[in-house]
Structures are given as structure tokens and as C-alpha cells.
Amino acid sequence: MTTQSVNQADRKLWLAAIKPPMYSVAIMPMVVGSAIAYAETGQFDSGIFALFLLAAVLILAWENLSNDVFDSETGIDVNKAHSVVNLTRNRRLVFALANLCLGLGIAGIVAIALAQQDPTVLAIVLLCCGLGYMYQGPPFRLGYQGLGEVLCFFSFGPLAMGAAYYSQTQSWSWGSQMAGVMVGLTTTLVLFCSHFHQVDDDIAAGKRSPIVRLGTKRGAALIPWTCGLVFAIAALGLLLGLFPIWTALVFGSLLSAWRLSRHVTRYHDQPQRVFNAKFFAIGFHSWSGVLLSLGFWLSAYGG
Ligand SMILES: C/C(=C\COP(=O)(O)OP(=O)(O)O)CCC[C@H](C)CCC[C@H](C)CCCC(C)C
Ligand SMILES: O=C(O)C1=CC(=O)c2ccccc2C1=O
């Protein structure tokens, strides 16, 4: 191998370890929640929005770095070349970096709480961090029991969306909670799809992921139904008048839902082909989130 191709391989591994596309799961509740706040109340504070966005990204960086640290203790990541711990061979450094990200992220949320003289957003974000810790940290490691999807749904769905909406309005709304259920489901699909290619390593490490429990075929069959549920909630929101008509734009993400369902249905039992299923799920998550936000923003201008 030439030095150039070694550098390229290293770059690829580092990109896979840092997982830039994954950060859309932290950004989306902020974008959708703030768009709904603006559409429903006309309020939008760009400073709070930017600070919350940065804090959410830092908190997700903590979650991912500490995931590599905790997984290095159970042995589940022995074959994962793109684990940051395996790449650096320095678990303490990665753990310190993770905690620095968490500290900075929480500091951002404390700044929001102080500016608003209201601890509500801080309390919700701390709860999300607690759920994030329980997913992977000792003694809980609830992800190993197949409970990660439940934690993921609440953290990135109703809780994160509630916090984002509240940070802009200091109030709650049914519309934002309904959208929170949609974003929670699409984010949970990302986590669910990340397990298909890891069944052997998960079984060896004693991790009973939903795919280990259900099998890849039954797991794959759930995906179109979950996508369908997301669109059914959108239709209900429109029917109930909680979502303005422009939010029908979200049906433009049907194509990405279809591509995700087709990919996993075809390749569920072929690890070397299904390994990228979570990026198909990120596609659906991003398209549905962006189109839903656009619908809310447009409704604020177009009525
Ligand atoms: C780290 C996560 C998944 C990776 O899991 P796994 O170990 O299977 O992956 P590898 O194969 O790559 O090792 C995500 C876990 C999500 C968790 C259940 C909930 C996290 C909550 C966040 C910390 C909260 C963010 C709040 C913010 C948006 C306000
Ligand atoms: O690395 C992963 O597989 C994931 C990382 C991550 O931060 C995340 C967040 C929310 C849902 C799923 C996932 C992952 O799958």
C-alpha cells in the first residue's frame, strides 16, 4: 500500500468514527421545534436557537465518544476499526474529550436557563442525558437489553422537541408534541437500522438488540410500517388542524422512506450490503424533518 492510500484509509476510518451525517439527529429537533414555535407564536430568538443547536451537537458528541469508551469495556467493538478508542488506543483521552463535550454542552444549556430565568429546558436536557447514559453506561447498559429504541424515541422525540419549542416560547403545544412523535420515530429508525449488520458481534458480546431478538427478516418487515406510521401522524395532524396545510410537504419524503424500506427488505441478512442501512434511515429522517420545518415556516409567511 502507498502512503497516500494509507492516509486515505485513515481518513475514511476517522470519518466513519466521527460520523458527521449522524449529527442531523441532534439538529433536527431544534430546527423543527423552532419552526413550529415561529409558526404558532411568531417568536424566534436566533441567539437561543444557535446556542441550543451547538449544545445539542456537543451533547451528541459526548454520547458517541462515551459509547466507544463503554463499548471498549464490554468487548463488543473488537471488530469495529472505526471506534475512536480503537483508532487512538487511548481510552482515557477519549473519555476526557467526551466529558469535555458534555460539560460544554450543558454549559450552553445553563446559559439559556440563566438568560431566561427558567430551569425547564435544563431539566429536560439533563433528563435526556440521563437516558443517553443509561443506554450504554454501567451498571444500566439498557441498549444491551434491546431497550435503546425506547430511550432514543423519547430523548430525540417528545423531550428534545418539547425543549426546543419551550426554549423559544416558554410554553407547550400539541402540534409540537405531535411533530415530536414523528421526529422520535424517524430517529429511532436510525438506531434500529444500525443493528442489522452487527448481529454476530452483538450475540458474541451478549447484546440483545431488537434485531437479535426479532431476527433480521421480522426486523426488516417493521420498517415500512414505522414509516407508514410517521405519515399517518402527519395526516392526522393535518386533519385535526394542528399542522398547517403547507406541512403536507412532508409527504415529499415518501421516496426516501420507500428507498429505506426496499434496501433493508432486500439485504436484511447480508451484513456487507445492509451495513449502510442507517444512512438510508438518516436520509428519511432528514428529508421528513426538513420538509416538515419548511411547511411550518412557509405557513408563517403564506398563512
Ligand atoms: C450512541 C448511540 C447509538 C450507537 O449505538 P451502538 O452502540 O449500537 O453503536 P455502535 O455500533 O456505533 O457502537 C445513540 C444512542 C441514543 C440514546 C438512546 C439517547 C441519547 C440521548 C442524547 C444524549 C440526548 C440529546 C439531546 C439533545 C438533542 C437535546
Ligand atoms: O453510531 C450510531 O450508530 C449512532 C449514533 C448516534 O448518535 C445515534 C443517535 C440517534 C439514533 C441513532 C444513532 C446511531 O445509530
Side-chain angles (χ1 to χ4, degrees), residues 65 68-69 72-73 84-85 88-100:
L65 289 171
D68 283 352
V69 171
S72 73
E73 289 164 2
V84 181
V85 170
T88 58
R89 298 206 191 100
N90 192 338
R91 188 192 308 178
R92 283 165 65 108
L93 174 72
V94 179
F95 198 46
L97 199 60
N99 290 330
L100 178 67

Side-chain angles (χ1 to χ4, degrees), residues 238-284:
L238 281 159
L239 276 175
L240 293 176
L242 290 172
F243 290 0
I245 190 69
W246 278 107
T247 60
L249 276 172
V250 76
F251 290 99
S253 61
L254 268 165
L255 180 62
S256 56
W258 178 75
R259 290 186 68 222
L260 164 67
S261 304
R262 186 188 57 170
H263 184 71
V264 183
T265 306
R266 270 190 191 162
Y267 303 125
H268 62 88
D269 55 354
Q270 298 176 48
Q272 69 287 6
R273 299 192 91 154
V274 80
F275 74 95
N276 58 353
K278 76 177 169 196
F279 295 107
F280 279 79
I282 281 284
F284 175 45

Side-chain angles (χ1 to χ4, degrees), residues 200-236:
D200 290 342
D201 283 346
D202 286 352
I203 291 174
K207 180 169 178 175
R208 313 252 312 127
S209 77
I211 304 305
V212 169
R213 285 175 181 272
L214 290 168
T216 61
K217 190 170 180 181
R218 277 195 293 173
L222 279 180
I223 291 175
W225 286 99
T226 310
C227 296
L229 183 59
V230 171
F231 293 113
I233 295 167
L236 187 66

Side-chain angles (χ1 to χ4, degrees), residues 32 36-37 40-41 158 161-162 165 169 171-182 233 236-238 240-244 292 296:
V32 181
I36 300 177
E40 290 184 357
T41 68
M161 186 72 82
Y165 184 91
T169 63
S171 66
W172 311 103
S173 85
W174 286 111
S176 62
Q177 280 303 295
M178 206 155 176
V181 174
M182 291 171 67
I233 295 167
L236 187 66
L238 281 159
L240 293 176
L242 290 172
F243 290 0
L292 192 61
F296 277 104

